Amino acid sequence: MQQIIGMLEVKDATIAVGGQILATGLSFMARDRQLTCITGPEGSGKTTLLRTLMGFLPVGSGYVSVDGELLTVKSSQAFRRMMAYLPQQIQMLRHQLEPPEAPVCEADDYGIWNPLPPKAVVSRQPMPLAADDIFRLVEQTLQEVSGKQIIIADEPAARLTPELAERMLQLLRNQADAGKTVLIASRRPLLVDHADLVIEMNQNT
């Protein structure tokens, strides 16, 4: 049996944004071939933690490492080459469902590294996507990032029907079964209950 390697490790980390400490002494290891879920109430720091794991925010103390190598804000660009990111505002990727000439919204500063990044053509707020389009967009994106070792998804099933949420879970599980590190932030019970590791974020973490 192939040994599971600890792909992404957080050790004794302090997670903060704008001077507000959201978690202290946070430690966990998101392993290859497992589904790791960060959960907690709104405002507890789930997205902030994901941004820290992608190197856009520093840890206040402790460290984050990828396959034993220290991840910092300065070194993060190299590590992001091995990551695929599904943002909470999934409509930022909607250009992948539209003709090339269709206008798209401007990406935010913590970015998209998937094969077809948004262009800053217009800055209007796009219309929300239908649930079927959200699922199709995520499915297509995951197919196009087959070479990425780490999948990070922020609330990927938040606006999906129960049936599509089940299919979303299977997509993410397939990524883990393929040997990848899959880390999601979600409050959806379906994803939380079927995760191999659950990290609870709250003010008392």
Side-chain angles (χ1 to χ4, degrees):
M1 182 176 179
Q2 184 176 354
Q3 182 179 2
I4 295 176
I5 300 172
M7 190 66 191
L8 194 156
E9 182 179 11
V10 177
K11 183 68 173 177
D12 297 328
T14 296
I15 307 299
V17 63
Q20 180 184 5
I21 296 177
L22 300 172
T24 58
L26 183 63
S27 296
F28 66 90
M29 185 176 289
R31 300 179 181 272
D32 297 346
R33 302 183 182 277
Q34 291 187 356
L35 185 63
T36 300
C37 182
I38 300 167
T39 192
E42 185 175 357
S44 60
K46 299 185 295 298
T47 297
T48 298
L49 176 55
L50 292 187
R51 295 182 183 186
T52 302
L53 297 180
M54 293 185 289
F56 288 105
L57 296 172
V59 290
S61 61
Y63 65 83
V64 176
S65 65
V66 177
D67 205 16
E69 298 290 333
L70 193 64
L71 185 153
T72 67
V73 171
K74 289 185 178 180
S75 68
S76 61
Q77 185 174 359
F79 288 107
R80 285 197 293 272
R81 295 191 184 103
M82 62 194 301
M83 298 177 180
Y85 175 54
L86 299 173
Q88 187 171 7
Q89 299 299 323
I90 194 68
Q91 62 265 27
M92 290 194 300
L93 300 180
R94 69 186 299 150
H95 60 288
Q96 295 176 203
L97 297 177
E98 299 173 347
E101 67 274 13
V104 295
C105 66
E106 183 176 359
D108 69 1
D109 60 356
Y110 61 97
I112 308 299
W113 318 291
N114 297 325
L116 298 173
K119 300 176 183 177
V121 177
V122 293
S123 59
R124 64 177 173 81
Q125 183 68 23
M127 293 293 292
L129 291 173
D132 286 344
D133 285 336
I134 291 174
F135 178 82
R136 185 160 59 97
L137 182 52
V138 172
E139 183 178 39
Q140 178 178 322
T141 301
L142 291 176
Q143 289 172 351
E144 293 175 346
V145 296
S146 58
K148 306 287 188 177
Q149 182 59 32
I150 300 175
I151 308 297
I152 296 178
D154 195 353
E155 298 286 1
R159 294 174 52 211
L160 298 183
T161 63
E163 178 185 357
L164 288 175
E166 289 269 8
R167 294 172 62 188
M168 173 74 73
L169 173 62
Q170 189 58 55
L171 286 181
L172 296 170
R173 177 61 66 187
N174 290 345
Q175 293 291 317
D177 290 345
K180 298 184 180 184
T181 299
V182 180
L183 195 143
I184 62 175
S186 181
R187 293 186 291 165
R188 189 120 183 192
L190 174 69
L191 273 64
V192 176
D193 293 344
H194 285 82
D196 300 297
L197 176 66
V198 176
I199 309 302
E200 294 275 356
M201 294 288 291
N202 56 63
Q203 300 299 325
N204 298 316
T205 300

